[in-house]
Amino acid sequence: MDEVKPDICCQNTRFDATKPDLPTIEDIQKDNGETEETRICGLETLRQKLKELEDIEACLDEEFLLRFLRVESFDSLRAFQRLKNFYDMQEEMLEMFKHCSIDASVVQSMPYFWALPYRPKNNSALLVVTMGAPDFSRMTFDEKSYLDLIATNTLLMNPLTQMCGVSLIFDWSGFHLNSFLAFKPVSVIRLMNHMLKSYPMRIKEIHVVNIHEIFRIVCNIFYFVLPKELRSCVFFHPNDGWESLHESIPPEILPQEYGGHLEHSSMINLLDDVGKLEKQFGELFRFGYVKTQKLRQSLSLITPGKD
């Protein structure tokens, strides 16, 4: 894909850009330790160590391995450990997902995972998760977790997102007791741990909005089990007419529901084509522990049922 420059009506890099202007990308790569030499050496080291694993058939594709090198700032040994953790994570996910089945039309009827069309100054992908949108009478927590996974896998196909990570807005409007009861504390903590230690994604900022005081208590519990470095990236915003949120994210790149200038229709539904997302994820999921190869390769959760 060719370089996508900032849109003239909004001086921010677009979501679908694969790299920003040249001076910016040089600064990003310098901060992350990415040079031609570190890429070559890092890829060689990872491939060599992965080939030595007897119980894992690892993906050796350059684009995939670069995800792990970039998230670990080209520390090859840490990237290798994260890769091993990633394949361990797949085994746990396999147990979670093997009895799940998701009707594609149900997913389409309750969109909850969005990307905004422009990136903030740090060039991270700016995502919105509407926590009250999923109907857990029609979808389990594990099934929602699968949807999150296949969507973020696609996000990480973009090298700019690999380098700059993601920033998230968790919007708790419409979240109620039935939604809360569908959450599995053990699964939530397990997924959180995998995101931090296994998944090749940088989390730059987390913004929490529209949260009811009852659920704020629950969020605080999970907040204090986060590593210190991640807690410093979490921001709870009061109902102050969006002034607090706008101190972190300019209204020019936010939709109107958050006091921004953009139409809701400009938001990008990350689960718009779940069949395509699952196919992309399946290409990756066929790699992993040899003992579960057949089960992994046969995994298919998305069904074209009728709503």
Side-chain angles (χ1 to χ4, degrees):
M1 185 181 294
D2 294 335
E3 177 178 337
V4 181
K5 295 183 179 179
D7 193 277
I8 58 174
C9 68
C10 183
Q11 293 304 309
N12 289 76
T13 306
R14 291 187 60 87
F15 165 73
D16 57 359
T18 56
K19 58 182 178 180
D21 59 274
L22 187 59
T24 304
I25 194 68
E26 288 178 345
D27 289 341
I28 293 169
Q29 290 176 332
K30 182 178 180 180
D31 290 342
N32 293 345
E34 181 168 355
T35 65
E36 183 177 0
E37 181 181 359
T38 58
R39 280 195 299 272
I40 293 173
C41 292
L43 289 168
E44 182 180 350
T45 299
L46 280 186
R47 285 179 174 138
Q48 180 180 346
K49 294 183 75 65
L50 288 169
K51 288 177 181 178
E52 293 172 357
L53 297 175
E54 297 181 356
D55 53 348
I56 295 175
E57 180 189 3
C59 177
L60 303 179
D61 179 72
E62 177 177 320
E63 184 275 334
F64 175 70
L65 297 182
L66 280 173
R67 301 181 189 186
F68 292 86
L69 287 167
R70 283 171 172 151
V71 77
E72 295 293 358
S73 299
F74 285 82
D75 184 321
S76 298
L77 295 181
R78 290 177 58 180
F80 174 65
Q81 184 59 56
R82 184 176 285 265
L83 262 165
K84 288 180 63 180
N85 293 344
F86 177 83
Y87 287 120
D88 288 338
M89 177 195 76
Q90 283 195 163
E91 292 298 289
E92 291 191 15
M93 296 299 100
L94 191 60
E95 286 299 309
M96 285 178 61
F97 300 148
K98 66 181 181 181
H99 298 302
C100 294
S101 177
I102 308 172
D103 188 319
S105 60
V106 170
V107 180
Q108 293 164 0
S109 71
M110 47 183 175
Y112 70 89
F113 199 1
W114 308 86
L116 296 184
Y118 299 100
R119 295 169 180 262
K121 288 185 178 180
N122 64 12
N123 285 304
S124 61
L126 184 55
L127 313 178
V128 175
V129 183
T130 49
M131 301 293 289
D135 182 352
F136 288 107
S137 68
R138 306 169 72 194
M139 177 191 301
T140 67
F141 177 81
D142 288 346
E143 288 166 353
K144 176 186 174 298
S145 299
Y146 181 76
L147 294 174
D148 295 342
L149 192 61
I150 64 175
T152 51
N153 174 64
T154 303
L155 285 171
L156 288 172
M157 294 172 71
N158 185 328
L160 181 57
T161 304
Q162 295 171 20
M163 296 177 198
C164 300
V166 301
S167 295
L168 299 115
I169 298 173
F170 283 99
D171 181 355
W172 289 70
S173 57
F175 191 83
H176 46 74
L177 182 60
N178 287 340
S179 301
F180 170 70
L181 294 175
F183 275 54
K184 298 179 178 179
V186 173
S187 294
V188 171
I189 293 174
R190 179 188 298 162
L191 289 170
M192 198 181 305
N193 184 59
H194 284 319
M195 281 295 172
L196 296 173
K197 297 181 180 180
S198 310
Y199 217 60
M201 183 170 69
R202 296 176 183 271
I203 299 177
K204 300 304 283 286
E205 296 177 356
I206 297 175
H207 300 274
V208 182
V209 302
N210 291 328
I211 189 167
H212 191 280
E213 283 304 313
I214 294 175
F215 301 118
R216 172 71 180 266
I217 297 171
V218 178
C219 281
N220 284 342
I221 294 173
F222 287 116
Y223 173 81
F224 285 108
V225 302
L226 294 174
K228 184 177 180 180
E229 61 270 20
L230 187 57
R231 291 203 302 267
S232 66
C233 302
V234 179
F235 305 92
F236 290 90
H237 297 282
N239 297 323
D240 60 357
W242 304 114
E243 290 183 13
S244 174
L245 181 64
H246 293 171
E247 289 177 3
S248 300
I249 306 173
E252 288 79 12
I253 63 171
L254 286 170
Q256 292 174 348
E257 51 262 57
Y258 304 117
H261 300 175
L262 303 180
E263 298 285 344
H264 178 82
S265 59
S266 69
M267 297 174 67
I268 302 157
N269 180 4
L270 293 175
L271 292 167
D272 186 50
D273 189 347
V274 291
K276 178 181 177 181
L277 298 182
E278 183 174 50
K279 184 177 180 180
Q280 291 172 334
F281 179 71
E283 288 297 310
L284 179 62
F285 206 58
R286 65 190 181 91
F287 296 97
Y289 275 88
V290 175
K291 63 183 180 181
T292 56
Q293 183 183 56
K294 290 184 178 180
L295 185 57
R296 283 185 289 102
Q297 292 181 352
S298 65
L299 186 72
S300 179
L301 273 62
I302 308 298
T303 62
K306 296 181 179 180
D307 192 4

